[in-house]
């Protein structure tokens, strides 16, 4: 009996030792680096072998040490799962958002409530500022939370969403160096990050030039020169092919009507004092059409085309869908590029509580589809989307999620997925491409 106990004891010790050795070996084989440390990264990067339902891409965990060649091969393989980017579909894109992690404070998410211009009307509405992260200056709540436009993970996710939607070009809201909008920070220093992120996903970038203080023909020429010299050689810098076969940069000029046609003519007419025509800095300049009378002004000023921007059907002459065919006829007759702007809806009562009359309900995507259909029927060269991420005015197609905070219930995309407006965009971008091919037959 004693001999049997000794044998049993030796067997148990040997088994325990074997288990310990195997455990140590397996532990030594696990990767030392872990790229999923932060909560934010966990929201953006799927776990190993998880299938992304939004666009059927299988994503694997990133190796701890990856040489550039392997990284490039994986990116190239990933691209084949996206639809081809449609460079005739442009989306207005905003890089003015900030949060404490990347900017030291919230920027734009804390947007103030803007007063009505009539003091009597203004007195009946609340004032103050929003207080993120739960209380933001928007009627919808972003799936990424109140993010920073400086966050590389956010830029990566945005480019992925845009590429999924078959958008080919970002029209980035831009102010000159050391300038910004009333509620933001300088954004020119973000452009290298945006261009690099866009290029990674084979997207292009154009400049949507805002009405900065003192804008005139002379400083516009200097700013165009700066843009071309600073960013013109980047592979993501968009160039439009003209009817003469030239490839020229394209610029959207927001609120172009604020300067008179005579001022613009000094920049855009060949005989202007500050002319940019037939120089290294020549381009395609697209004016904003608001009122019908602006059509004549746009011609007189020497612009190359026009866009409508506003996502509120009926708000302006230019944004009214039923006018788009006649506007296209006008553009064709005068050799202008016509770029109608479509949008999923409009609501800005989180920052303009008195402006409910301009709200346009999304109707679960039907408003967006109607807008796209009207644009395609007008047979334009390009269609622009207002917007990818203008959250203050509720025109975003970026992913949004349901959220309740106290008595505040944010709007959302239910009963559909957060990706529904990206999917609608992809559907119509494809249809637009197919229709353009038919027009050329």
């Amino acid at each position: 009996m004693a001999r049997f106990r000794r044998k049993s004891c030796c067997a148990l010790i040997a088994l325990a030792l074997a288990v310990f050795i195997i455990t140590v070996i397996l532990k030594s084989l696990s990767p030392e680096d872990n790229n999923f440390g932060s909560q934010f990264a966990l929201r953006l990067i799927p776990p190993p072998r998880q299938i992304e339902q939004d666009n059927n891409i299988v994503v694997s965990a990133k190796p701890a040490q990856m040489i550039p060649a392997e990284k490039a091969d994986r990116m190239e393989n990933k691209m084949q799962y996206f639809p081809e980017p449609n460079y005739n579909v442009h989306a207005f894109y905003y890089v003015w958002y900030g949060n404490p992690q990347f900017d030291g404070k919230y920027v734009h998410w804390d947007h103030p409530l803007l007063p009505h211009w009539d003091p009597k009307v203004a007195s009946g509405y609340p004032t103050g500022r929003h207080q993120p992260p739960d209380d933001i200056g928007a009627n919808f709540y972003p799936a990424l939370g109140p993010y920073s436009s400086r966050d590389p993970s956010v830029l990566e996710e945005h480019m992925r969403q845009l590429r999924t939607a078959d958008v080919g070009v970002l029209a980035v809201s831009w102010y000159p160096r050391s300038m910004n909008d009333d509620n933001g920070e300088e954004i020119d220093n973000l452009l290298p990050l945006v261009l690099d992120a866009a290029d990674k996903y084979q997207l292009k970038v154009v400049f949507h030039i805002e009405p900065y203080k003192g804008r005139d023909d002379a400083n516009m020429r200097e700013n165009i020169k700066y843009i071309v010299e600073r960013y013109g050689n980047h592979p993501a810098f968009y160039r439009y092919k003209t009817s003469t076969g030239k490839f020229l940069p394209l610029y959207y000029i927001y609120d172009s009507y604020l300067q008179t046609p005579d001022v613009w003519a000094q920049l855009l007419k060949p005989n202007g004092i500050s002319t940019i025509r037939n120089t290294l800095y020549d381009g395609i300049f697209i004016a904003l059409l608001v009122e019908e009378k602006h059509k004549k002004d746009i011609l007189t000023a020497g612009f190359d085309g026009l866009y409508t921007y506003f996502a509120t059907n009926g708000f302006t002459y230019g944004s009214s869908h039923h006018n788009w065919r006649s506007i296209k006829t006008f553009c064709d007759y005068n050799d202008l590029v016509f770029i109608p702007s479509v949008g999923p809806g409009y609501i800005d009562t989180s920052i303009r509580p008195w402006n409910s009359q301009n709200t346009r309900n999304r109707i679960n995507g039907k408003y967006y589809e109607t807008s796209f259909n009207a644009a395609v029927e007008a047979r334009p060269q390009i269609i622009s989307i207002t917007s990818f991420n203008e959250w203050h005015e509720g025109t975003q197609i970026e992913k949004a999620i349901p959220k309740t905070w106290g008595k505040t219930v944010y709007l959302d995309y239910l009963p559909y997925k957060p990706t529904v407006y990206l999917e609608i965009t992809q559907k119509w971008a494809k249809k637009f491409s197919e229709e353009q091919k038919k027009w050329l037959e």
Side-chain angles (χ1 to χ4, degrees):
M1 180 64 77
R3 184 179 301 170
F4 176 76
R5 287 177 178 173
R6 283 196 299 273
K7 289 182 178 180
S8 298
C9 184
C10 290
L12 286 172
I13 291 172
L15 179 61
L17 183 61
V19 170
F20 174 77
I21 293 172
I22 291 171
T23 301
V24 171
I25 292 173
L26 289 176
K27 187 173 181 180
S28 68
L29 292 175
S30 65
E32 294 179 359
D33 295 333
N34 188 337
N35 292 317
F36 307 103
S38 70
Q39 290 183 342
F40 188 66
L42 281 169
R43 286 188 294 156
L44 293 183
I45 307 174
R49 307 303 299 168
Q50 175 180 324
I51 297 179
E52 274 285 336
Q53 296 296 332
D54 294 346
N55 54 0
N56 300 320
I57 299 172
V58 178
V59 184
S60 300
K62 181 180 177 182
Q65 299 294 330
M66 178 182 285
I67 62 175
E70 291 176 342
K71 203 169 185 179
D73 288 343
R74 285 195 58 191
M75 197 65 198
E76 184 176 347
N77 291 335
K78 188 176 181 180
M79 288 300 107
Q80 67 181 324
Y81 292 98
F82 289 110
E84 283 296 315
N86 188 335
Y87 297 117
N88 291 326
V89 177
H90 299 187
F92 293 110
Y93 184 75
Y94 294 86
V95 292
W96 55 26
Y97 300 107
N99 62 24
Q101 181 182 358
F102 286 87
D103 307 88
K105 60 181 179 180
Y106 285 106
V107 182
H108 261 272
W109 299 113
D110 64 342
H111 202 289
L113 281 77
L114 302 174
H116 192 277
W117 53 85
D118 184 340
K120 292 181 180 179
V121 176
S123 64
Y125 291 93
T127 59
R129 299 187 75 95
H130 288 279
Q131 299 181 354
D134 295 312
D135 171 26
I136 64 172
N139 291 79
F140 293 84
Y141 200 85
L144 297 178
Y147 55 76
S148 170
S149 298
R150 298 180 184 277
D151 185 345
S153 298
V154 168
L155 289 174
E156 177 90 8
E157 172 66 7
H158 283 176
M159 301 307 140
R160 191 189 71 82
Q161 289 185 33
L162 285 159
R163 184 64 194 271
T164 299
D166 204 4
V167 171
V169 180
L170 294 71
V172 179
S173 171
W174 184 80
Y175 284 85
R177 291 167 294 173
S178 303
M179 301 185 78
N180 51 266
D181 69 282
D182 292 339
N183 301 290
E185 304 286 330
E186 181 182 351
I187 58 177
D188 178 65
N189 54 19
L190 281 171
L191 264 295
L193 293 175
V194 176
L195 285 160
D196 287 347
D199 185 50
K200 185 177 178 181
Y201 281 82
Q202 300 173 346
L203 300 171
K204 303 297 181 181
V205 174
V206 299
F207 286 69
H208 189 195
I209 300 178
E210 298 283 359
Y212 57 86
K213 186 177 180 179
R215 187 173 68 181
D216 61 22
D217 56 297
N219 58 47
M220 269 292 295
R221 191 183 196 284
E222 289 305 309
N223 285 322
I224 295 299
K225 181 181 178 182
Y226 167 78
I227 289 171
V228 172
E229 292 180 350
R230 178 77 171 86
Y231 305 115
N233 290 327
H234 196 286
F237 188 78
Y238 175 80
R239 294 179 186 272
Y240 176 82
K241 185 178 181 181
T242 69
S243 57
T244 60
K246 291 182 179 180
F247 288 87
L248 297 176
L250 185 146
Y251 306 95
Y252 291 95
I253 313 298
Y254 189 67
D255 279 357
S256 51
Y257 61 85
L258 293 178
Q259 283 73 45
T260 66
D262 290 342
V263 170
W264 287 117
Q266 298 302 322
L267 176 74
L268 302 177
K269 291 284 190 176
N271 59 348
I273 295 174
S274 307
T275 187
I276 208 161
R277 298 306 187 188
N278 302 314
T279 71
L280 294 174
Y281 311 109
D282 203 354
I284 303 299
F285 294 84
I286 308 297
L288 176 62
L289 177 67
V290 179
E291 301 177 32
E292 186 172 11
K293 66 179 183 180
H294 292 155
K295 292 193 295 185
K296 181 180 178 181
D297 293 341
I298 288 168
L299 270 180
T300 303
F303 281 100
D304 304 288
L306 56 87
Y307 73 119
T308 61
Y309 186 76
F310 299 105
T312 306
N313 182 26
F315 176 59
T316 68
Y317 168 80
S319 70
S320 299
H321 301 166
H322 67 268
N323 292 326
W324 286 353
R325 285 192 178 187
S326 64
I327 295 172
K328 176 60 163 55
T329 300
F330 168 82
C331 289
D332 287 346
Y333 183 79
N334 292 286
D335 196 24
L336 297 174
V337 179
F338 176 47
I339 307 179
S341 302
V342 303
Y346 185 94
I347 183 167
D348 65 356
T349 52
S350 68
I351 62 169
R352 300 182 186 98
W354 38 266
N355 196 35
S356 59
Q357 73 272 14
N358 283 319
T359 295
R360 299 294 185 270
N361 195 298
R362 294 188 174 220
I363 324 173
N364 291 330
K366 292 181 181 178
Y367 182 92
Y368 196 29
E369 300 237 26
T370 300
S371 180
F372 247 120
N373 184 63
V376 172
E377 287 186 346
R379 296 191 170 194
Q381 295 94 324
I382 294 170
I383 293 177
S384 56
I385 298 168
T386 306
S387 63
F388 177 76
N389 65 337
E390 218 295 11
W391 288 91
H392 305 310
E393 296 183 344
T395 61
Q396 80 289 336
I397 62 171
E398 183 184 354
K399 295 179 184 179
I401 57 172
K403 182 177 175 63
T404 299
W405 175 69
K407 295 181 180 180
T408 300
V409 180
Y410 288 91
L411 299 176
D412 55 56
Y413 303 161
L414 294 175
Y416 300 108
K417 298 184 298 182
T419 57
V420 62
Y421 291 98
L422 302 175
E423 293 166 4
I424 293 173
T425 303
Q426 182 191 111
K427 167 188 168 182
W428 280 94
K430 182 179 180 181
K431 182 175 178 62
F432 179 42
S433 180
E434 291 170 350
E435 290 298 314
Q436 282 191 311
K437 291 176 183 177
K438 292 179 183 177
W439 304 339
L440 297 174
E441 290 177 356

